[in-house]
């Protein structure tokens, strides 16, 4: 019985656009402004390895079908942001009204 009602809910989610999660607006960030590290010829280097928190629904505007990874504030990271593991670009995520989507994380 539980399984059946969950399936019905999922089905409703797909059919009702109001229940879809909001689309995030991505703004490219300069990693030097949000991550402590140095830019080298082979990419941006940090003292600590940066921990990511899993893939987001959003994909990189430059890399087809590459889902962005959520990066929270940590020792070398000053601002929570989204990271593309393919092109190593960093993005600020905001809602369509301009409010930051990652501000509370
Ligand atoms: Zn990318």
């Amino acid at each position: 019985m539980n399984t059946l009602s969950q399936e019905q809910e999922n089905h409703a989610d797909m059919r009702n656009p109001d229940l879809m999660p909001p689309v995030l607006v991505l703004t490219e960030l300069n990693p030097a402004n949000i991550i402590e590290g140095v830019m080298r010829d082979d990419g941006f280097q940090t003292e600590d390895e940066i921990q990511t928190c899993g893939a987001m629904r959003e994909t990189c505007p430059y890399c087809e079908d590459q889902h962005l990874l959520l990066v929270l504030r940590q020792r070398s990271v000053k601002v929570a942001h989204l990271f593309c593991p393919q092109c190593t670009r960093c993005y600020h995520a905001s809602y369509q009204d301009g409010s930051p989507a990652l501000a509370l994380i």
Side-chain angles (χ1 to χ4, degrees):
M1 200 63 183
N2 263 344
T3 310
L4 184 62
S5 67
Q6 277 173 3
E7 274 176 17
Q8 282 171 344
E9 271 178 35
N10 289 341
H11 200 58
D13 279 356
M14 284 188 294
R15 283 166 55 177
N16 187 344
D18 289 342
L19 296 177
M20 293 288 285
V23 176
L24 299 181
V25 179
L26 301 175
T27 312
E28 192 174 341
L29 294 170
N30 183 349
N33 292 339
I34 56 168
I35 301 172
E36 286 183 31
V38 287
M39 186 65 87
R40 299 226 178 100
D41 290 342
D42 56 348
F44 199 76
Q45 302 287 317
T46 56
E47 259 184 55
D48 307 307
E49 192 169 335
I50 293 180
Q51 307 287 323
T52 59
C53 304
M56 301 287 287
R57 188 169 44 93
E58 279 66 33
T59 54
C60 178
Y62 293 89
C63 309
E64 202 172 331
D65 291 335
Q66 177 64 57
H67 284 267
L68 297 171
L69 301 177
L70 175 61
V71 180
L72 300 181
R73 281 172 57 175
Q74 53 198 278
R75 197 163 160 221
S76 307
V77 180
K78 290 179 272 187
V79 180
H81 62 277
L82 302 180
F83 172 74
C84 175
Q86 192 164 319
C87 65
T88 71
R89 284 183 169 89
C90 298
Y91 297 97
H92 170 76
S94 57
Y95 294 111
Q96 303 226 316
D97 66 0
S99 60
L102 303 175
L104 297 178
I105 306 178

